[in-house]
Amino acid sequence: MANSTEPQKPQNTKKNTKKGATLDTFYGAKIQNTEQIEDNIKENAPKPSKGNGNSPQTYEEFESEMTKKMEAFWEEKLEIMQKKFTHLQNRYDETEKENQALKARIRQLEDNDRVKEQELIKQSQNTKKLEENIKYLTDKVIDLENRGRRDNLRIIGLPEKPEINTKLDMVIQDIIKENCPEILEQGGNTATDRAHRTPSTLNPQKTTPRNVIAKFQSYQTKEKILQEARKRQFRYKGMPIRVTQELASSTLNDRKAWNMIFRKARELGLQPRISYPAKLTIYFQGKVWAFNKIEDF
């Protein structure tokens, strides 16, 4: 029958190959371009049949099916986004807690640093006080040691011989008779309490004789001998010797530091003198100048 209407076949979706036109590309597409996806769905949707109604799928059914799939698709996407958002929120909360803990730790460290800095300042002040006390006590001990030696004389250059070492007291009396007999003539007390070599043991590697320390019973006699020794060269049986004040080793080292300057000042006629404990005095331009340290000079 020529006039009978044949059932209309659904359009072939393969002919329309626009982006996102098929269902497969629709389900796998990104969330962007949703308007283009919906337009493609409408274009590819089956048209309603004018025949006997035996078409495989009507437009309403297709639209309903697509709506359900769209709803399922967006529900799935929404659930994924909610999970990601929850994860990010949890991560943010953890990061915030860690940040707060770090801030508290930093404040604690800053407080500890301030406390340590204050303690360091106190320790520095205490150390400075201790150093001052140590210097004061050291100077005090040296002064007491020097005062304990105020009756002593040091004899330098006395030959190292057995006949001299066994009779040091008699040798000292011979030195006084040879160099300052006027002290004996004035009836001065030249007796000594003791005399000994220093150090007590002989070092065979040293070629110079050990010094002799003599402790006099009379301080006035010791001072007279010392004054005579400053005026001229003392001798023992023709051999030159030196007689000086016996002092602590630290004071002697301080005096030795002036030796070069002392000799130069004597050459220039400045009348140098080493005063107790280790102070240099010179006569210059009609004035007496005193220096406690080489740096000051």
Short mmCIF file of all heavy atoms in Angstrom, two decimals, residues 105-169:
data_model
loop_
_atom_site.label_atom_id
_atom_site.label_comp_id
_atom_site.label_asym_id
_atom_site.label_seq_id
_atom_site.Cartn_x
_atom_site.Cartn_y
_atom_site.Cartn_z
N ARG A 105 55.00 26.93 70.63
CA ARG A 105 56.38 26.50 70.81
C ARG A 105 57.35 27.66 70.59
O ARG A 105 58.33 27.82 71.33
CB ARG A 105 56.69 25.36 69.83
CG ARG A 105 58.11 24.81 69.94
CD ARG A 105 58.40 24.26 71.30
NE ARG A 105 59.72 23.69 71.38
CZ ARG A 105 60.34 23.36 72.50
NH1 ARG A 105 59.73 23.55 73.67
NH2 ARG A 105 61.55 22.85 72.47
N ILE A 106 57.07 28.48 69.57
CA ILE A 106 57.92 29.63 69.30
C ILE A 106 57.88 30.62 70.46
O ILE A 106 58.92 31.15 70.88
CB ILE A 106 57.47 30.31 67.98
CG1 ILE A 106 57.80 29.40 66.79
CG2 ILE A 106 58.15 31.67 67.82
CD1 ILE A 106 57.25 29.89 65.47
N ARG A 107 56.69 30.86 71.00
CA ARG A 107 56.59 31.76 72.16
C ARG A 107 57.37 31.21 73.34
O ARG A 107 58.05 31.95 74.06
CB ARG A 107 55.12 31.96 72.53
CG ARG A 107 54.35 32.86 71.55
CD ARG A 107 53.03 33.29 72.14
NE ARG A 107 52.14 32.15 72.34
CZ ARG A 107 51.26 31.71 71.45
NH1 ARG A 107 51.16 32.34 70.28
NH2 ARG A 107 50.48 30.68 71.70
N GLN A 108 57.27 29.89 73.53
CA GLN A 108 58.01 29.27 74.64
C GLN A 108 59.52 29.41 74.44
O GLN A 108 60.25 29.73 75.39
CB GLN A 108 57.63 27.79 74.75
CG GLN A 108 58.30 27.07 75.92
CD GLN A 108 57.88 25.61 75.99
OE1 GLN A 108 57.13 25.15 75.15
NE2 GLN A 108 58.39 24.91 76.97
N LEU A 109 59.98 29.19 73.20
CA LEU A 109 61.41 29.33 72.92
C LEU A 109 61.87 30.77 73.10
O LEU A 109 62.97 31.02 73.62
CB LEU A 109 61.70 28.85 71.50
CG LEU A 109 61.55 27.35 71.24
CD1 LEU A 109 61.75 27.05 69.76
CD2 LEU A 109 62.54 26.55 72.08
N GLU A 110 61.05 31.73 72.68
CA GLU A 110 61.41 33.13 72.86
C GLU A 110 61.50 33.48 74.35
O GLU A 110 62.42 34.20 74.77
CB GLU A 110 60.39 34.03 72.17
CG GLU A 110 60.44 33.96 70.64
CD GLU A 110 59.35 34.78 69.99
OE1 GLU A 110 58.43 35.22 70.73
OE2 GLU A 110 59.40 34.98 68.75
N ASP A 111 60.55 32.95 75.14
CA ASP A 111 60.61 33.19 76.59
C ASP A 111 61.86 32.56 77.18
O ASP A 111 62.53 33.17 78.04
CB ASP A 111 59.35 32.62 77.26
CG ASP A 111 58.09 33.36 76.83
OD1 ASP A 111 58.21 34.51 76.36
OD2 ASP A 111 56.98 32.78 76.95
N ASN A 112 62.18 31.35 76.73
CA ASN A 112 63.38 30.68 77.24
C ASN A 112 64.64 31.46 76.86
O ASN A 112 65.58 31.57 77.66
CB ASN A 112 63.47 29.25 76.70
CG ASN A 112 62.36 28.36 77.26
OD1 ASN A 112 61.78 28.66 78.29
ND2 ASN A 112 62.07 27.28 76.56
N ASP A 113 64.65 32.01 75.63
CA ASP A 113 65.81 32.79 75.21
C ASP A 113 65.97 34.05 76.06
O ASP A 113 67.09 34.42 76.42
CB ASP A 113 65.67 33.18 73.73
CG ASP A 113 65.87 32.00 72.80
OD1 ASP A 113 66.46 31.00 73.26
OD2 ASP A 113 65.43 32.07 71.64
N ARG A 114 64.85 34.69 76.37
CA ARG A 114 64.94 35.89 77.21
C ARG A 114 65.46 35.53 78.61
O ARG A 114 66.28 36.26 79.18
CB ARG A 114 63.57 36.57 77.29
CG ARG A 114 63.21 37.38 76.05
CD ARG A 114 62.01 38.26 76.29
NE ARG A 114 60.80 37.48 76.46
CZ ARG A 114 59.99 37.16 75.47
NH1 ARG A 114 60.28 37.55 74.23
NH2 ARG A 114 58.90 36.44 75.67
N VAL A 115 64.96 34.40 79.13
CA VAL A 115 65.42 33.98 80.46
C VAL A 115 66.91 33.66 80.43
O VAL A 115 67.67 34.06 81.33
CB VAL A 115 64.60 32.76 80.93
CG1 VAL A 115 65.19 32.20 82.22
CG2 VAL A 115 63.14 33.16 81.16
N LYS A 116 67.33 32.93 79.39
CA LYS A 116 68.75 32.58 79.28
C LYS A 116 69.62 33.82 79.09
O LYS A 116 70.73 33.90 79.62
CB LYS A 116 68.95 31.61 78.12
CG LYS A 116 68.37 30.22 78.38
CD LYS A 116 68.62 29.29 77.21
CE LYS A 116 68.04 27.90 77.49
NZ LYS A 116 68.26 26.98 76.34
N GLU A 117 69.12 34.78 78.32
CA GLU A 117 69.88 36.01 78.12
C GLU A 117 70.05 36.77 79.43
O GLU A 117 71.14 37.28 79.73
CB GLU A 117 69.16 36.88 77.09
CG GLU A 117 69.93 38.14 76.71
CD GLU A 117 69.23 38.95 75.64
OE1 GLU A 117 68.16 38.49 75.17
OE2 GLU A 117 69.74 40.02 75.28
N GLN A 118 68.98 36.81 80.23
CA GLN A 118 69.09 37.47 81.54
C GLN A 118 70.06 36.71 82.44
O GLN A 118 70.87 37.32 83.17
CB GLN A 118 67.70 37.55 82.17
CG GLN A 118 66.74 38.49 81.43
CD GLN A 118 65.34 38.45 82.01
OE1 GLN A 118 65.05 37.70 82.94
NE2 GLN A 118 64.46 39.28 81.47
N GLU A 119 69.99 35.38 82.41
CA GLU A 119 70.92 34.59 83.22
C GLU A 119 72.36 34.79 82.76
O GLU A 119 73.27 34.87 83.58
CB GLU A 119 70.54 33.11 83.13
CG GLU A 119 69.22 32.77 83.81
CD GLU A 119 68.86 31.29 83.67
OE1 GLU A 119 69.60 30.59 82.94
OE2 GLU A 119 67.87 30.86 84.28
N LEU A 120 72.54 34.90 81.43
CA LEU A 120 73.89 35.13 80.90
C LEU A 120 74.44 36.47 81.35
O LEU A 120 75.63 36.59 81.67
CB LEU A 120 73.85 35.05 79.37
CG LEU A 120 75.20 35.16 78.65
CD1 LEU A 120 76.12 34.02 79.07
CD2 LEU A 120 75.00 35.15 77.15
N ILE A 121 73.58 37.49 81.37
CA ILE A 121 74.02 38.80 81.84
C ILE A 121 74.43 38.74 83.31
O ILE A 121 75.47 39.29 83.71
CB ILE A 121 72.90 39.84 81.62
CG1 ILE A 121 72.66 40.06 80.12
CG2 ILE A 121 73.25 41.16 82.29
CD1 ILE A 121 71.48 40.94 79.81
N LYS A 122 73.61 38.03 84.10
CA LYS A 122 73.95 37.89 85.52
C LYS A 122 75.26 37.13 85.70
O LYS A 122 76.11 37.51 86.52
CB LYS A 122 72.81 37.18 86.24
CG LYS A 122 71.53 37.99 86.35
CD LYS A 122 70.45 37.21 87.10
CE LYS A 122 69.16 38.01 87.20
NZ LYS A 122 68.09 37.26 87.91
N GLN A 123 75.44 36.05 84.93
CA GLN A 123 76.67 35.28 85.02
C GLN A 123 77.88 36.11 84.60
O GLN A 123 78.96 36.01 85.20
CB GLN A 123 76.57 34.02 84.17
CG GLN A 123 75.59 32.99 84.70
CD GLN A 123 75.48 31.77 83.81
OE1 GLN A 123 76.14 31.69 82.77
NE2 GLN A 123 74.66 30.81 84.20
N SER A 124 77.69 36.94 83.56
CA SER A 124 78.78 37.80 83.12
C SER A 124 79.15 38.81 84.21
O SER A 124 80.34 39.06 84.47
CB SER A 124 78.37 38.53 81.84
OG SER A 124 79.39 39.41 81.42
N GLN A 125 78.14 39.36 84.87
CA GLN A 125 78.41 40.29 85.96
C GLN A 125 79.10 39.58 87.12
O GLN A 125 80.06 40.11 87.71
CB GLN A 125 77.10 40.92 86.42
CG GLN A 125 76.46 41.83 85.37
CD GLN A 125 75.08 42.33 85.80
OE1 GLN A 125 74.52 41.87 86.81
NE2 GLN A 125 74.54 43.28 85.05
N ASN A 126 78.62 38.37 87.44
CA ASN A 126 79.26 37.61 88.52
C ASN A 126 80.69 37.24 88.17
O ASN A 126 81.59 37.29 89.02
CB ASN A 126 78.45 36.34 88.82
CG ASN A 126 77.08 36.64 89.39
OD1 ASN A 126 76.87 37.70 90.00
ND2 ASN A 126 76.14 35.73 89.21
N THR A 127 80.91 36.88 86.89
CA THR A 127 82.27 36.54 86.46
C THR A 127 83.20 37.74 86.58
O THR A 127 84.36 37.60 87.00
CB THR A 127 82.25 36.03 85.01
OG1 THR A 127 81.38 34.89 84.92
CG2 THR A 127 83.64 35.65 84.55
N LYS A 128 82.68 38.91 86.19
CA LYS A 128 83.50 40.12 86.30
C LYS A 128 83.85 40.41 87.76
O LYS A 128 84.99 40.76 88.07
CB LYS A 128 82.74 41.30 85.69
CG LYS A 128 83.55 42.58 85.63
CD LYS A 128 82.77 43.69 84.95
CE LYS A 128 83.59 44.97 84.89
NZ LYS A 128 82.84 46.07 84.23
N LYS A 129 82.88 40.23 88.65
CA LYS A 129 83.15 40.44 90.07
C LYS A 129 84.17 39.44 90.59
O LYS A 129 85.07 39.79 91.36
CB LYS A 129 81.84 40.33 90.87
CG LYS A 129 80.87 41.47 90.62
CD LYS A 129 79.61 41.30 91.45
CE LYS A 129 78.63 42.45 91.20
NZ LYS A 129 77.37 42.28 91.98
N LEU A 130 84.02 38.18 90.14
CA LEU A 130 84.98 37.16 90.58
C LEU A 130 86.39 37.47 90.08
O LEU A 130 87.37 37.29 90.80
CB LEU A 130 84.53 35.79 90.07
CG LEU A 130 83.30 35.18 90.74
CD1 LEU A 130 82.89 33.88 90.05
CD2 LEU A 130 83.56 34.93 92.22
N GLU A 131 86.49 37.94 88.83
CA GLU A 131 87.81 38.30 88.29
C GLU A 131 88.42 39.45 89.09
O GLU A 131 89.63 39.45 89.36
CB GLU A 131 87.68 38.68 86.82
CG GLU A 131 87.36 37.49 85.90
CD GLU A 131 87.14 37.92 84.46
OE1 GLU A 131 87.06 39.15 84.23
OE2 GLU A 131 87.04 37.04 83.60
N GLU A 132 87.59 40.42 89.43
CA GLU A 132 88.10 41.53 90.24
C GLU A 132 88.55 41.04 91.62
O GLU A 132 89.60 41.46 92.13
CB GLU A 132 87.02 42.60 90.38
CG GLU A 132 86.68 43.30 89.07
CD GLU A 132 85.52 44.28 89.22
OE1 GLU A 132 84.91 44.29 90.31
OE2 GLU A 132 85.22 45.01 88.25
N ASN A 133 87.75 40.14 92.22
CA ASN A 133 88.13 39.60 93.53
C ASN A 133 89.41 38.77 93.44
O ASN A 133 90.28 38.85 94.33
CB ASN A 133 87.00 38.74 94.09
CG ASN A 133 85.78 39.55 94.46
OD1 ASN A 133 85.88 40.76 94.71
ND2 ASN A 133 84.62 38.93 94.48
N ILE A 134 89.52 37.98 92.34
CA ILE A 134 90.73 37.16 92.18
C ILE A 134 91.97 38.05 92.03
O ILE A 134 93.03 37.78 92.61
CB ILE A 134 90.57 36.23 90.96
CG1 ILE A 134 89.53 35.14 91.27
CG2 ILE A 134 91.90 35.58 90.58
CD1 ILE A 134 89.17 34.28 90.08
N LYS A 135 91.83 39.12 91.23
CA LYS A 135 92.96 40.04 91.06
C LYS A 135 93.32 40.70 92.39
O LYS A 135 94.51 40.84 92.73
CB LYS A 135 92.62 41.10 90.02
CG LYS A 135 93.79 42.03 89.69
CD LYS A 135 93.39 43.06 88.66
CE LYS A 135 94.60 43.93 88.28
NZ LYS A 135 95.20 44.57 89.46
N TYR A 136 92.30 41.10 93.13
CA TYR A 136 92.57 41.74 94.42
C TYR A 136 93.28 40.76 95.37
O TYR A 136 94.27 41.11 96.01
CB TYR A 136 91.25 42.22 95.04
CG TYR A 136 91.39 42.66 96.48
CD1 TYR A 136 91.93 43.90 96.80
CD2 TYR A 136 90.98 41.83 97.52
CE1 TYR A 136 92.07 44.31 98.12
CE2 TYR A 136 91.10 42.23 98.84
CZ TYR A 136 91.65 43.47 99.14
OH TYR A 136 91.79 43.85 100.45
N LEU A 137 92.76 39.53 95.42
CA LEU A 137 93.37 38.54 96.31
C LEU A 137 94.77 38.16 95.86
O LEU A 137 95.67 37.97 96.69
CB LEU A 137 92.48 37.29 96.38
CG LEU A 137 91.11 37.48 97.05
CD1 LEU A 137 90.28 36.22 96.93
CD2 LEU A 137 91.28 37.87 98.51
N THR A 138 94.98 38.07 94.53
CA THR A 138 96.31 37.76 94.02
C THR A 138 97.31 38.85 94.38
O THR A 138 98.43 38.57 94.85
CB THR A 138 96.27 37.57 92.49
OG1 THR A 138 95.34 36.53 92.18
CG2 THR A 138 97.63 37.22 91.95
N ASP A 139 96.90 40.10 94.17
CA ASP A 139 97.78 41.22 94.53
C ASP A 139 98.05 41.23 96.04
O ASP A 139 99.16 41.54 96.47
CB ASP A 139 97.16 42.54 94.10
CG ASP A 139 97.06 42.67 92.59
OD1 ASP A 139 97.76 41.92 91.89
OD2 ASP A 139 96.25 43.49 92.10
N LYS A 140 97.01 40.88 96.80
CA LYS A 140 97.17 40.85 98.26
C LYS A 140 98.15 39.78 98.69
O LYS A 140 99.02 40.02 99.54
CB LYS A 140 95.80 40.61 98.91
CG LYS A 140 95.78 40.80 100.42
CD LYS A 140 95.97 42.25 100.79
CE LYS A 140 95.83 42.47 102.29
NZ LYS A 140 96.06 43.88 102.67
N VAL A 141 98.05 38.61 98.09
CA VAL A 141 98.97 37.51 98.43
C VAL A 141 100.40 37.88 98.04
O VAL A 141 101.35 37.62 98.80
CB VAL A 141 98.51 36.21 97.73
CG1 VAL A 141 99.57 35.13 97.85
CG2 VAL A 141 97.21 35.71 98.33
N ILE A 142 100.56 38.47 96.84
CA ILE A 142 101.90 38.87 96.41
C ILE A 142 102.48 39.91 97.35
O ILE A 142 103.67 39.88 97.72
CB ILE A 142 101.85 39.39 94.96
CG1 ILE A 142 101.49 38.26 94.00
CG2 ILE A 142 103.19 40.01 94.57
CD1 ILE A 142 101.26 38.71 92.58
N ASP A 143 101.65 40.87 97.76
CA ASP A 143 102.11 41.90 98.69
C ASP A 143 102.53 41.29 100.02
O ASP A 143 103.57 41.65 100.60
CB ASP A 143 101.02 42.94 98.89
CG ASP A 143 101.46 44.07 99.81
OD1 ASP A 143 102.37 44.84 99.42
OD2 ASP A 143 100.90 44.17 100.92
N LEU A 144 101.71 40.35 100.53
CA LEU A 144 102.07 39.68 101.79
C LEU A 144 103.35 38.87 101.64
O LEU A 144 104.19 38.83 102.57
CB LEU A 144 100.92 38.78 102.24
CG LEU A 144 99.63 39.49 102.69
CD1 LEU A 144 98.53 38.47 102.96
CD2 LEU A 144 99.88 40.33 103.94
N GLU A 145 103.51 38.22 100.49
CA GLU A 145 104.73 37.45 100.25
C GLU A 145 105.95 38.37 100.21
O GLU A 145 107.01 38.04 100.78
CB GLU A 145 104.60 36.67 98.95
CG GLU A 145 105.76 35.73 98.69
CD GLU A 145 105.57 34.92 97.42
OE1 GLU A 145 104.51 35.06 96.78
OE2 GLU A 145 106.50 34.17 97.05
N ASN A 146 105.80 39.51 99.55
CA ASN A 146 106.92 40.45 99.50
C ASN A 146 107.26 41.00 100.88
O ASN A 146 108.44 41.16 101.23
CB ASN A 146 106.59 41.60 98.54
CG ASN A 146 106.62 41.17 97.09
OD1 ASN A 146 107.36 40.26 96.72
ND2 ASN A 146 105.80 41.80 96.26
N ARG A 147 106.22 41.28 101.67
CA ARG A 147 106.46 41.80 103.02
C ARG A 147 107.09 40.72 103.91
O ARG A 147 107.86 41.05 104.82
CB ARG A 147 105.16 42.31 103.63
CG ARG A 147 104.62 43.55 102.93
CD ARG A 147 103.35 44.06 103.56
NE ARG A 147 102.81 45.20 102.81
CZ ARG A 147 103.24 46.45 102.91
NH1 ARG A 147 104.23 46.74 103.76
NH2 ARG A 147 102.70 47.41 102.20
N GLY A 148 106.76 39.48 103.65
CA GLY A 148 107.41 38.40 104.40
C GLY A 148 108.87 38.22 104.04
O GLY A 148 109.63 37.60 104.79
N ARG A 149 109.29 38.79 102.89
CA ARG A 149 110.68 38.70 102.46
C ARG A 149 111.44 40.01 102.67
O ARG A 149 112.55 40.17 102.14
CB ARG A 149 110.73 38.33 100.97
CG ARG A 149 110.09 36.99 100.63
CD ARG A 149 109.93 36.86 99.13
NE ARG A 149 109.19 35.66 98.76
CZ ARG A 149 109.76 34.54 98.28
NH1 ARG A 149 111.07 34.49 98.14
NH2 ARG A 149 109.04 33.49 97.98
N ARG A 150 110.86 40.94 103.40
CA ARG A 150 111.46 42.27 103.53
C ARG A 150 112.80 42.25 104.25
O ARG A 150 113.60 43.19 104.12
CB ARG A 150 110.49 43.21 104.24
CG ARG A 150 110.18 42.84 105.66
CD ARG A 150 108.91 43.54 106.17
NE ARG A 150 108.98 44.96 106.01
CZ ARG A 150 109.40 45.80 106.97
NH1 ARG A 150 109.77 45.33 108.15
NH2 ARG A 150 109.42 47.10 106.76
N ASP A 151 113.11 41.20 105.01
CA ASP A 151 114.40 41.09 105.70
C ASP A 151 115.42 40.30 104.89
O ASP A 151 116.54 40.05 105.39
CB ASP A 151 114.22 40.41 107.07
CG ASP A 151 113.35 41.21 108.01
OD1 ASP A 151 113.31 42.45 107.86
OD2 ASP A 151 112.70 40.62 108.90
N ASN A 152 115.07 39.91 103.68
CA ASN A 152 115.94 39.05 102.88
C ASN A 152 116.70 39.84 101.83
O ASN A 152 116.22 40.86 101.32
CB ASN A 152 115.14 37.96 102.19
CG ASN A 152 114.41 37.05 103.16
OD1 ASN A 152 114.60 37.15 104.37
ND2 ASN A 152 113.58 36.18 102.63
N LEU A 153 117.88 39.33 101.46
CA LEU A 153 118.67 39.82 100.35
C LEU A 153 118.98 38.65 99.42
O LEU A 153 119.19 37.52 99.87
CB LEU A 153 119.97 40.47 100.82
CG LEU A 153 119.86 41.86 101.47
CD1 LEU A 153 121.23 42.34 101.92
CD2 LEU A 153 119.23 42.87 100.52
N ARG A 154 118.99 38.97 98.12
CA ARG A 154 119.34 37.95 97.11
C ARG A 154 120.74 38.27 96.58
O ARG A 154 120.98 39.38 96.08
CB ARG A 154 118.32 37.96 95.98
CG ARG A 154 118.59 36.94 94.87
CD ARG A 154 117.58 37.09 93.76
NE ARG A 154 116.26 36.67 94.19
CZ ARG A 154 115.76 35.45 94.00
NH1 ARG A 154 116.51 34.53 93.38
NH2 ARG A 154 114.56 35.14 94.42
N ILE A 155 121.64 37.30 96.65
CA ILE A 155 123.02 37.47 96.18
C ILE A 155 123.16 36.67 94.90
O ILE A 155 122.95 35.45 94.87
CB ILE A 155 124.03 36.99 97.24
CG1 ILE A 155 123.80 37.75 98.55
CG2 ILE A 155 125.46 37.17 96.74
CD1 ILE A 155 124.62 37.24 99.71
N ILE A 156 123.51 37.35 93.81
CA ILE A 156 123.57 36.76 92.48
C ILE A 156 125.02 36.70 92.02
O ILE A 156 125.76 37.69 92.14
CB ILE A 156 122.72 37.58 91.48
CG1 ILE A 156 121.28 37.70 91.98
CG2 ILE A 156 122.74 36.94 90.09
CD1 ILE A 156 120.43 38.68 91.19
N GLY A 157 125.41 35.56 91.48
CA GLY A 157 126.75 35.41 90.92
C GLY A 157 127.77 34.83 91.87
O GLY A 157 128.96 34.75 91.52
N LEU A 158 127.36 34.41 93.06
CA LEU A 158 128.30 33.80 94.01
C LEU A 158 128.68 32.41 93.50
O LEU A 158 127.80 31.60 93.20
CB LEU A 158 127.65 33.70 95.39
CG LEU A 158 128.59 33.42 96.57
CD1 LEU A 158 129.59 34.57 96.74
CD2 LEU A 158 127.77 33.25 97.85
N PRO A 159 129.99 32.11 93.33
CA PRO A 159 130.41 30.84 92.73
C PRO A 159 129.81 29.63 93.41
O PRO A 159 129.57 29.62 94.63
CB PRO A 159 131.94 30.87 92.87
CG PRO A 159 132.28 32.32 92.99
CD PRO A 159 131.13 32.96 93.71
N GLU A 160 129.55 28.61 92.60
CA GLU A 160 128.96 27.36 93.08
C GLU A 160 130.10 26.41 93.45
O GLU A 160 130.56 25.61 92.63
CB GLU A 160 128.07 26.76 91.99
CG GLU A 160 127.25 25.57 92.44
CD GLU A 160 125.92 25.98 93.07
OE1 GLU A 160 125.31 26.95 92.58
OE2 GLU A 160 125.51 25.34 94.04
N LYS A 161 130.56 26.51 94.72
CA LYS A 161 131.66 25.66 95.20
C LYS A 161 131.25 25.03 96.53
O LYS A 161 130.53 25.65 97.32
CB LYS A 161 132.94 26.48 95.37
CG LYS A 161 133.48 27.06 94.08
CD LYS A 161 134.75 27.86 94.32
CE LYS A 161 135.29 28.45 93.03
NZ LYS A 161 136.53 29.25 93.25
N PRO A 162 131.73 23.81 96.80
CA PRO A 162 131.36 23.15 98.07
C PRO A 162 131.79 23.94 99.30
O PRO A 162 131.04 24.02 100.28
CB PRO A 162 132.07 21.80 97.99
CG PRO A 162 132.28 21.57 96.52
CD PRO A 162 132.48 22.91 95.92
N GLU A 163 132.99 24.55 99.26
CA GLU A 163 133.47 25.28 100.44
C GLU A 163 132.65 26.54 100.68
O GLU A 163 132.61 27.06 101.82
CB GLU A 163 134.94 25.65 100.28
CG GLU A 163 135.27 26.49 99.07
CD GLU A 163 135.61 25.67 97.84
OE1 GLU A 163 135.22 24.48 97.80
OE2 GLU A 163 136.24 26.22 96.91
N ILE A 164 131.97 27.03 99.65
CA ILE A 164 131.10 28.19 99.83
C ILE A 164 129.71 27.74 100.28
O ILE A 164 129.11 28.35 101.18
CB ILE A 164 131.02 28.99 98.52
CG1 ILE A 164 132.38 29.60 98.18
CG2 ILE A 164 129.94 30.08 98.62
CD1 ILE A 164 132.40 30.38 96.88
N ASN A 165 129.18 26.69 99.68
CA ASN A 165 127.83 26.24 99.99
C ASN A 165 127.70 25.76 101.44
O ASN A 165 126.63 25.88 102.03
CB ASN A 165 127.42 25.12 99.04
CG ASN A 165 127.28 25.62 97.61
OD1 ASN A 165 127.15 26.82 97.37
ND2 ASN A 165 127.34 24.69 96.65
N THR A 166 128.75 25.20 101.99
CA THR A 166 128.67 24.68 103.37
C THR A 166 128.87 25.78 104.41
O THR A 166 128.60 25.55 105.60
CB THR A 166 129.73 23.59 103.56
OG1 THR A 166 131.03 24.12 103.25
CG2 THR A 166 129.42 22.39 102.67
N LYS A 167 129.32 26.98 103.98
CA LYS A 167 129.60 28.04 104.95
C LYS A 167 129.02 29.37 104.42
O LYS A 167 129.73 30.39 104.37
CB LYS A 167 131.11 28.19 105.18
CG LYS A 167 131.75 26.93 105.75
CD LYS A 167 133.26 27.12 105.92
CE LYS A 167 133.91 25.86 106.48
NZ LYS A 167 135.38 26.03 106.64
N LEU A 168 127.77 29.36 104.04
CA LEU A 168 127.17 30.56 103.46
C LEU A 168 127.09 31.71 104.46
O LEU A 168 127.28 32.89 104.09
CB LEU A 168 125.76 30.23 102.93
CG LEU A 168 125.70 29.40 101.64
CD1 LEU A 168 124.26 29.04 101.29
CD2 LEU A 168 126.34 30.17 100.48
N ASP A 169 126.84 31.41 105.74
CA ASP A 169 126.75 32.49 106.74
C ASP A 169 128.09 33.23 106.86
O ASP A 169 128.12 34.47 106.92
CB ASP A 169 126.37 31.89 108.10
CG ASP A 169 124.93 31.37 108.09
OD1 ASP A 169 124.14 31.85 107.25
OD2 ASP A 169 124.61 30.48 108.89
#
